[in-house]
Each structure stands twice: as C-alpha cells, then as structure tokens.
Amino acid sequence: MSQLNIWWVLLPMLGVFLSLGWVGWRFFYAGGTAVPAASPQPVRMPAPPREPWWPKVRAAFVTPSHRVNWVAVRWLAIATLLVALIILVTLRLAGYHVLRNLSPQAYEREGHIQLALEDEKLVPPPPLPPSLFLSSERPSLATADRDWSKLDPRFTQTVLAVIARLETRGFPIVLIEGYRSPDRQDSLADGGVLVTKARGGQSKHQYGLAVDLAPLRDGRIVLSERDPWAWEAYQALGEEAEAAGLTWGGRWSFKDYGHVEMKGSVARLAAEQAGGGR
C-alpha cells in the first residue's frame, strides 16, 4: 500500500517535469534564433547585453499578431493542474504517515505498575487441571481457585508481565492459587500444616490482590524451595516481583516464596476497590 501511494506522488511529478521541459524546449530553445556557424577565424566581439526575461515569456504566449498562443496556454494550464494534483494527493496521503499515539504507560518501582492496556493486554494462560496437584506436596491445591478473571485486572496484568519476564530467564512459572474465599482462608489457617497465619478477610487473596505461584519443570510443579533449580526460580520471582512494585512473600519472617501481592494495607486496597479505584 505504501509503494502504491509513493507512485501516486511520483507519476504526477514526472508529468510536471516533462511538461515544463517540453515548454522550455519548444518556446525558449527550439523557437529561438539559430546561432550562426563559427567562421574559421572568429572575431571576438563583446558579449551582447542580457535580454530581460519578460519579453520572452510574453512572446511564448502572445503571437506577433497580438493573438493569444492557446497551445502555450493549454500546456501551462496542464502543468498547473498537475502541480495542484500533486499538492492534493500529498495532503490526502499525509494522514497515512502520522504516527499513532503511544499507549499510556506508567512504571513505578515503589508503587503500582500499570502496563500499556489500551491497545494490548496480556492474555492469561488457561488454569492448570486439578489432577496436576493430586500427586504434589500439597494435594489440597487441587481445589484451589485458579480463575484469573476473579483477580484485580491491574494486578493481573502486573503478575502476567512478571511471569513473562521469568519465562525469558528460563523459569516457567504457573498460577497455583489466586482468589481465595474467606472460608478456605480460615480452613488453611486452622489446618495442621501451617500454610498461612491470616484468617478470612485478612488476606489479599480475598480481594483478588494476591497470588501463589510455583515453577514448572518437565510438566511437573516444583513447590519445595529445597530443590536447587526451584530455589533459583523463587529468587528470580522475588527479584522480578519487587522490580514491578509488588510485595514478595520471601521477605517475610514466615517465608512464602511463591506468594506475590499488591503493596499496601488490606484496608486501604479494599477501600480503593469499593470506591472504584480498580
């Protein structure tokens, strides 16, 4: 399409140049007085004074009998129309070469991250099947909620960007739990295996502002950080999450290396959601 647009400009310009060249040759060169042949022994004569240009132009358009030279006028009109056509085509095609405005971005290392979401959004992967967790270290994760649509949209895009960066570093990361109901939160807090100390309503999982992630190797989820490769993956997760302005559970006294959440208190974030600050 761009090559076609360029030809629309070049062809009229070529026509103008050819037309003007023909007019100049026809009326100013070929129609002029022939220069006499040089004699064997030319005598140097002083150069004649330069004639003004206006009589030549007038002679091109007015005959000696004081009649209008319509042939010259016709070619002048054609050249003028071609120039006007070039201008119109150029103005018409100018709109195809205007750069679009960049999608708004705001990157804050100490605050929330907002990606370019107006034109393009990162698409969440499909949730992992429950059967993948039945043979893992935590079979209870089989009933965990991994529906990305239940999470805060802004938080979701941030987490997906973190996962994408970890993928480039050689660490595939998957979501093992996102939204968590208050009843499930209480059940985990009261369970025999210490998973969390927060009770229902005290965790950002209930507001879609926290996720639990884990590395995936050879189609199997590696939950334990005692695995050397998984330990590197969790450390990389912490680096990328904190660089994106998120809170990483690996910094807590109760280590939760796969936990990532939005910065801020539960009360403030819940109030922002209630007020439409999502």
Side-chain angles (χ1 to χ4, degrees):
M1 181 65 181
S2 59
Q3 294 181 351
L4 182 61
N5 293 338
I6 293 175
W7 281 112
W8 274 107
V9 176
L10 293 180
L11 289 177
M13 291 180 63
L14 180 61
V16 170
F17 292 145
L18 293 176
S19 300
L20 294 178
W22 184 89
V23 171
W25 177 84
R26 172 66 177 79
F27 294 103
F28 300 108
Y29 181 75
T33 304
V35 179
S39 60
Q41 296 180 350
V43 179
R44 292 183 176 274
M45 299 293 293
R50 181 176 298 179
E51 299 181 4
W53 60 272
W54 171 247
K56 293 184 176 180
V57 175
R58 184 176 184 278
F61 295 96
V62 180
T63 63
S65 60
H66 301 286
R67 293 184 178 181
V68 177
N69 188 345
W70 291 108
V71 175
V73 172
R74 181 182 62 186
W75 281 106
L76 178 63
I78 292 175
T80 303
L81 289 176
L82 287 175
V83 172
L85 180 62
I86 291 175
I87 296 175
L88 291 176
V89 171
T90 303
L91 294 176
R92 178 65 181 86
L93 299 180
Y96 293 102
H97 304 283
V98 177
L99 294 177
R100 299 179 59 189
N101 293 328
L102 295 177
S103 302
Q105 290 187 344
Y107 183 85
E108 305 171 353
R109 285 188 173 273
E110 300 301 329
H112 306 315
I113 181 172
Q114 183 177 359
L115 302 178
L117 303 178
E118 285 192 357
D119 295 333
E120 182 178 359
K121 292 184 179 180
L122 297 174
V123 179
L128 296 176
S131 58
L132 197 61
F133 297 89
L134 295 177
S135 59
S136 67
E137 301 173 32
R138 291 175 55 188
S140 62
L141 287 172
T143 59
D145 195 324
R146 287 175 285 275
D147 187 352
W148 286 93
S149 65
K150 294 182 180 180
L151 300 177
D152 180 273
R154 182 178 57 178
F155 175 68
T156 296
Q157 290 297 310
T158 306
V159 173
L160 290 175
V162 169
I163 292 176
R165 287 193 288 269
L166 288 168
E167 184 76 27
T168 62
R169 295 179 60 173
F171 299 113
I173 301 295
V174 294
L175 174 68
I176 61 175
E177 185 166 12
Y179 171 78
R180 185 183 295 162
S181 66
D183 292 340
R184 177 173 171 81
Q185 186 73 38
D186 289 336
S187 176
L188 293 175
D190 296 334
V193 179
L194 183 57
V195 177
T196 179
K197 295 181 178 180
R199 303 196 64 82
Q202 299 176 347
S203 171
K204 294 176 184 176
H205 279 283
Q206 279 84 74
Y207 304 93
L209 296 171
V211 292
D212 290 331
L213 306 172
L216 186 69
R217 181 179 58 191
D218 299 330
R220 297 178 62 88
I221 299 173
V222 186
L223 296 175
S224 176
E225 66 277 4
R226 293 188 295 271
D227 182 287
W229 178 82
W231 172 254
E232 294 182 10
Y234 282 123
Q235 294 301 311
L237 171 61
E239 294 172 4
E240 296 294 345
E242 290 179 341
L246 302 176
T247 297
W248 177 47
R251 298 290 185 189
W252 297 342
S253 57
F254 174 69
K255 304 297 183 183
D256 193 353
Y257 294 104
H259 181 91
V260 173
E261 66 180 31
M262 187 78 82
K263 275 188 176 181
S265 66
V266 173
R268 180 178 67 83
L269 294 174
E272 287 181 359
Q273 284 187 346
R278 297 176 61 172

